[in-house]
Amino acid sequence: MAKTDTLRTIKGCRRLEGEVVPPGDKSISHRAAILNGLAKGEASIDNFAQGGDCLSTLRCLKALGVKIVKRGSQDSPTLLVSGTGETGLQEASNVLDARNSATTMRLLGGLVASQPFLTVITGDASLRSRPMGRLIEPLRLMGADVRGRGQDSFAPLVFRGKRLRGIDFTLPVPSAQIKSAILLAALFARGNTVLHQKIVSRDHTERMLRQMGATLESKGNSISLLPLTSPLKALNLRVPGDISSAAYFLVAAAIHPYARIEIEDCGVNHTRTGIIDILLAMGAKLKIGHERLEGGEPLADIVVESSELKGIEVGGDIIPRLIDEIPVLAVAGCIAKGKTVIRDAGELRVKESDRIATVVNELSRLGAQIEPLPDGMIIHGGRLLSGAEVDSHGDHRLAMSLAIAGLIARRETTIKHSQVAEVSYPAFWQTLQQIAEY
Ligand code: S3P
């Protein structure tokens, strides 16, 4: 949790209207920086996410010897990344600090496990409480020398990098971070790597590796990757808008009685669009247009209007496709008519906060009728929410979801530790102000 405690007050608004350009996709930005950092040549990355998490990746990469410079405006700079090539990374002179970013820790963990030097990675209190055994175990099967606090369960993590071997491995959890960490380690291993997914998770790493010349094949739920025989090719790209950030405004427009919001240049990769599928199934007036492909990733414009939502059952294979959107989906469930049940989402317990406990507790303060399940929650919808003092628990997605709830609640909602939204969406509060009419 950040040191300063910023209180934000949100009032119910009369109308929501306008255009929203979401920040660059966080997952794609991490990968664009890391993979271009390993490539040969200079890459230019537009619309790179400026949130705290992606800045953590940039700091760590710089500490490992990657040259990164920013050009252009502060809000939307172009990043120039000079790749070090396969063997150019250097030992960092200090501990790497991923702060709140599990993606930074896990993806870079996979990378440094294969590099011939020592790396220590730590993070903030939230990240140091998140499970790292799921990273350490497959890397050890590849021959990695890696240790973690709490009998190899938590960060700080210590890697004594060495040459690894490819593995044939079934991912026990549908985690794109672990999948990507193994793929990064496998680039420099001896022998091929084959990964099997019980449920498919976001595939940005696979797409980008292919675009950069790696020999990677996806068949059904399995991926096979050959180690690099020549360096990755630098990839210039414009990062699509982050659907996880857009989700706050998709839900806001759908639940507000007088709303119309257009989201521009939003990533609509199928592995990320579960929130759109569920909102449509709940009855949202949502239209997708101008679909196109940029840098191997699909994007589109989305228009959402005030809708009469109905409750829904959410579970099974769709969960990884909307895992980060569940806090704001729970807000939609509070307003929808009838019952919304979310299951098979036990992963929420090990996110930036225990999102089952924190979502249930904080929405209850606003008058929601919501009960926890071991792997999800039951929401009895169709109730009016009423403003109260709530807490983000240092979790960016909870801070922003509570703000959306505040927009349709009677009276004022005060959010403690709201500054944490900057981890993924620095312009969130400003955008909210621009579209809310009082
Ligand atoms: C991410 C994968 C997901 C997601 C996180 C970003 C990624 O985490 O929740 O916000 O960029 O790979 P898991 O891999 O832990 O499921």
Side-chain angles (χ1 to χ4, degrees):
M1 203 176 289
K3 283 175 210 89
T4 47
D5 177 0
T6 351
L7 284 179
R8 286 258 174 191
T9 300
I10 305 287
K11 288 190 200 135
C13 69
R14 194 168 48 79
R15 198 179 163 75
L16 281 173
E17 172 121 44
E19 283 162 18
V20 171
V21 182
D25 187 274
K26 184 158 86 76
S27 293
I28 298 175
S29 294
H30 283 294
R31 287 152 173 85
I34 296 171
L35 293 178
N36 275 310
L38 290 177
K40 197 171 171 199
E42 188 181 80
S44 111
I45 309 170
D46 286 327
N47 203 31
F48 185 87
Q50 293 300 306
D53 276 7
C54 291
L55 300 186
S56 288
T57 287
L58 297 186
R59 254 185 299 104
C60 294
L61 284 173
K62 284 183 188 168
L64 291 166
V66 179
K67 221 178 108 205
I68 302 173
V69 290
K70 280 186 193 176
R71 292 269 158 77
S73 80
Q74 199 50 40
D75 290 348
S76 178
T78 295
L79 214 63
L80 300 178
V81 179
S82 307
T84 59
E86 293 173 86
T87 53
L89 291 179
Q90 292 159 15
E91 185 171 82
S93 60
N94 203 345
V95 171
L96 301 182
D97 188 355
R99 297 193 185 163
N100 197 236
S101 176
T103 313
T104 305
M105 180 172 283
R106 293 185 176 133
L107 267 59
L108 289 182
L111 174 60
V112 297
S114 68
Q115 301 298 308
F117 47 70
L118 182 92
T119 306
V120 184
I121 311 184
T122 191
D124 68 8
S126 157
L127 183 51
R128 279 182 279 112
S129 71
R130 295 181 64 184
M132 291 299 150
R134 55 176 65 187
L135 171 71
I136 293 178
E137 281 154 29
L139 291 178
R140 279 203 179 141
L141 291 176
M142 299 177 82
D145 181 351
V146 46
R147 310 279 159 91
R149 189 176 57 83
Q151 292 177 330
D152 300 329
S153 305
F154 302 109
L157 304 176
V158 182
F159 298 84
R160 194 169 281 286
K162 58 194 253 215
R163 187 85 194 267
L164 305 179
R165 52 182 178 271
I167 43 168
D168 187 312
F169 185 69
T170 300
L171 290 152
V173 274
S175 162
Q177 292 175 355
I178 303 307
K179 172 173 66 174
S180 304
I182 299 171
L183 292 175
L184 279 159
L187 288 174
F188 306 102
R190 226 177 263 119
N192 304 347
T193 287
V194 182
L195 293 181
H196 310 281
Q197 310 177 79
K198 291 178 192 155
I199 307 180
V200 174
S201 60
R202 64 194 69 194
D203 65 356
H204 307 300
T205 307
E206 296 92 299
R207 284 173 188 254
M208 206 176 283
L209 278 173
R210 245 186 255 118
Q211 293 267 318
M212 296 174 81
T215 311
L216 182 145
E217 250 183 64
S218 303
K219 258 198 209 137
N221 289 6
S222 297
I223 303 161
S224 70
L225 175 69
L226 308 191
L228 292 179
T229 49
S230 56
L232 293 171
K233 290 183 286 209
L235 179 70
N236 296 327
L237 79 156
R238 178 171 178 82
V239 178
D242 197 327
I243 189 166
S244 299
S245 299
Y248 303 103
F249 297 105
L250 297 178
V251 168
I255 63 176
H256 195 285
Y258 303 101
R260 185 179 190 279
I261 296 180
E262 281 184 50
I263 315 267
E264 289 177 9
D265 301 337
C266 186
V268 288
N269 176 317
H270 177 75
T271 60
R272 299 284 298 284
T273 48
I275 184 69
I276 292 181
D277 294 356
I278 292 296
L279 285 175
L280 284 171
M282 292 173 87
K285 288 188 195 156
L286 182 154
K287 287 208 176 80
I288 302 177
H290 192 206
E291 282 187 71
R292 57 226 189 257
L293 206 61
E294 262 185 47
E297 288 281 349
L299 64 159
D301 300 334
I302 307 171
V303 181
V304 196
E305 289 175 350
S306 311
S307 316
E308 297 257 314
L309 298 185
K310 50 185 189 299
I312 194 170
E313 301 235 338
V314 186
D317 290 6
I318 200 165
I319 293 295
R321 295 180 54 227
L322 50 63
I323 188 75
D324 293 339
E325 291 68 75
I326 291 179
V328 78
L329 180 58
V331 176
C334 293
I335 306 308
K337 287 220 167 65
K339 195 161 80 169
T340 292
V341 183
I342 299 169
R343 288 187 202 279
D344 305 321
E347 277 294 299
L348 291 175
R349 299 243 179 235
V350 291
K351 293 294 179 188
E352 285 82 333
S353 67
D354 172 346
R355 284 186 181 154
I356 295 179
T358 54
V359 165
V360 167
N361 290 339
E362 299 309 311
L363 288 179
S364 297
R365 286 181 205 276
L366 297 177
Q369 241 192 19
I370 176 168
E371 313 156 31
L373 295 171
D375 63 346
M377 57 195 81
I378 301 178
I379 308 158
H380 302 276
R383 290 169 64 91
L384 281 177
L385 299 182
S386 196
E389 188 174 281
V390 288
D391 194 333
S392 75
H393 296 270
D395 183 335
H396 56 129
R397 306 228 179 263
L398 188 58
M400 293 184 273
S401 302
L402 291 168
I404 299 307
L407 283 182
I408 42 115
R410 280 174 303 178
R411 295 194 288 274
E412 283 184 359
T413 299
T414 303
I415 307 169
K416 287 162 78 180
H417 304 116
S418 61
Q419 76 287 348
V420 72
E422 73 81 34
V423 157
S424 60
Y425 200 162
F428 175 76
W429 306 105
Q430 203 187 335
T431 306
L432 201 62
Q433 221 168 21
Q434 280 160 3
I435 58 161
E437 291 172 18
Y438 289 92

